């Protein structure tokens, strides 16, 4: 059974009672799909207790429209967590998590400034801050992140090492739809036509074309491009279809 915890005090009592049991933690923003569930299932397999947080973190949104329109589907999410054998769902509100009135934050100065960071100023500071808060509250043995957000994964690993956090960061493969589009909560904001069009993004990213050719092909297919780049033996990209922003990355040997 998934226990729903909304009070910080309740969670702190529960956490004390769990003592040194192995906890696997999956932080999410909800609107759960099979990508999130694959992380939960792995956490359940590798730990005694699985904890998932659902919190649409305002400080990582650089566009207010994106925050307002971010899909929120809490009852369906809780059913999915139940099916995935998650023990605790943490649903804390903004006041609880940011009782410091946003006056304390984690800043990374280098990796967080390029690619996603260049196009989404402040995004990674928001991500690192909320993840650190949750790592302190949950004190997990393992914390699970998707390769879908590859730069985020690298930054979390970097923060955990830099701040001597006693949690192991576990990277999980990107889960894709039948046409290779990476599952994402933002996909639900695509129209039926855009959803069909979106499948070209991973296909073109995965082709042998050069970066310039990829950009040209995507432009011709109606995408607006933030960046296509090669780094960390991956090919990474961020594109827009109208008002919906998609990111993806694939393994890449230069
Ligand atoms: P989000 O709710 O978008 O913040 O994502 C929560 C976690 O799920 C992050 O670690 C993401 O990288 C991961 N995730 C999101 N989509 C996928 C996917 N398609 N495959 C694997 N992991 C994913």
């Amino acid at each position: 059974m998934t226990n729903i915890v909304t009070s910080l005090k309740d969670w702190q009592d529960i956490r004390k009672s769990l003592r040194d049991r192995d906890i696997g933690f999956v932080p999410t923003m909800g609107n759960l799909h099979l990508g999130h569930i694959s992380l939960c299932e792995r956490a359940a397999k590798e730990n005694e207790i699985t904890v998932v947080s659902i919190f649409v973190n305002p400080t990582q949104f650089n566009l207010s429209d994106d925050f307002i329109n971010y899909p929120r589907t809490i009852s369906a999410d809780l059913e999915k967590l139940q099916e995935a054998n998650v023990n605790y769902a943490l649903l804390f509100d903004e006041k609880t998590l940011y009782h410091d009135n946003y006056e304390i934050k984690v800043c990374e100065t280098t990796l967080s400034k390029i690619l996603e960071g260049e196009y989404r100023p402040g995004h990674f500071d928001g991500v690192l801050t909320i993840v650190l808060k949750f790592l302190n509250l949950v004190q997990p043995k393992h914390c699970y992140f998707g390769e879908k957000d590859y730069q985020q994964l690298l930054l979390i690993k970097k923060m955990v090492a830099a701040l001597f956090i006693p949690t192991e960061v576990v990277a999980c493969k990107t889960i894709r739809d039948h046409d290779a589009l990476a599952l994402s909560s933002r996909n639900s904001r695509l129209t039926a036509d855009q959803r069909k069009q979106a499948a070209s993004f991973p296909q073109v990213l995965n082709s042998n074309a050069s970066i310039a050719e990829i950009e040209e092909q995507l432009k011709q297919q109606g995408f607006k491009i933030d960046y296509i780049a090669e780094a960390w033996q991956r090919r990474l990209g961020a594109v827009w279809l109208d008002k919906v922003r998609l990111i993806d990355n694939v393994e890449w040997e230069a």
Side-chain angles (χ1 to χ4, degrees):
M1 198 189 82
T2 305
N3 295 285
I4 299 164
V5 188
T6 55
S7 140
L8 185 63
K9 171 79 176 64
D10 288 353
W11 170 249
Q12 286 167 327
D13 290 344
I14 294 166
R15 182 64 190 87
K16 254 185 218 145
S17 73
L18 295 172
R19 293 165 188 266
D20 57 0
R21 294 178 76 184
D22 290 349
I23 296 180
F25 176 51
V26 183
T28 82
M29 298 207 296
N31 191 239
L32 303 180
H33 50 64
L34 290 174
H36 299 111
I37 298 305
S38 73
L39 271 56
C40 298
E41 287 175 348
R42 180 143 177 212
K45 208 156 96 191
E46 297 178 353
N47 302 274
E48 292 170 88
I49 304 284
T50 307
V51 179
V52 174
S53 62
I54 298 180
F55 178 62
V56 184
N57 176 33
T59 64
Q60 71 187 74
F61 285 83
N62 53 311
L63 299 173
S64 59
D65 252 18
D66 191 25
F67 177 62
I68 291 163
N69 293 319
Y70 199 83
R72 290 157 170 91
T73 51
I74 195 72
S75 350
D77 290 351
L78 291 171
E79 276 174 32
K80 290 176 189 170
L81 294 183
Q82 181 83 39
E83 278 167 36
N85 294 319
V86 168
N87 301 100
Y88 296 97
L90 306 185
L91 310 181
F92 302 139
D93 64 15
E94 196 176 329
K95 264 201 198 130
T96 303
L97 289 165
Y98 286 103
H99 64 88
D100 60 320
N101 197 26
Y102 316 98
E103 288 166 10
I104 295 282
K105 69 176 176 182
V106 181
C107 294
E108 193 275 354
T109 58
T110 315
L111 176 55
S112 68
K113 304 296 181 195
I114 60 169
L115 301 177
E116 279 297 283
E118 185 185 338
Y119 288 89
R120 301 188 68 190
H123 167 66
F124 286 123
D125 290 356
V127 170
L128 294 176
T129 303
I130 196 66
V131 170
L132 180 59
K133 284 173 187 269
F134 273 114
L135 289 177
N136 283 331
L137 288 170
V138 178
Q139 296 169 46
K141 178 161 195 223
H142 299 112
C143 191
Y144 295 80
F145 288 89
E147 287 184 348
K148 157 89 177 9
D149 302 280
Y150 201 80
Q151 197 176 352
Q152 167 175 287
L153 168 69
L154 296 182
L155 276 156
I156 303 281
K157 282 189 176 168
K158 186 171 178 181
M159 173 178 77
V160 162
L163 301 182
F164 308 106
I165 299 169
T167 291
E168 189 189 324
V169 175
V170 182
C172 303
K173 293 270 171 244
T174 301
I175 304 297
R176 298 177 179 280
D177 221 333
H178 59 94
D179 58 2
L181 181 66
L183 296 183
S184 163
S185 304
R186 290 187 177 84
N187 293 355
S188 61
R189 294 184 50 211
L190 298 168
T191 64
D193 280 349
Q194 288 170 339
R195 174 62 192 81
K196 272 190 208 144
Q197 206 183 342
S200 315
F201 178 37
Q203 284 159 17
V204 174
L205 206 57
N206 242 322
S207 71
N208 274 324
S210 67
I211 289 185
E213 286 163 349
I214 289 178
E215 289 183 343
E216 191 48 42
Q217 284 178 39
L218 289 172
K219 268 185 212 156
Q220 275 175 14
Q221 292 176 36
F223 293 90
K224 193 180 139 279
I225 297 166
D226 273 355
Y227 63 84
I228 302 291
E230 284 165 13
W232 316 300
Q233 289 162 338
R234 321 284 299 186
R235 208 167 224 185
L236 308 102
V239 297
W240 293 83
L241 277 176
D242 194 21
K243 291 194 172 65
V244 182
R245 189 169 185 274
L246 304 173
I247 64 168
D248 202 350
N249 68 90
V250 296
E251 277 175 54
W252 188 258
E253 295 290 340

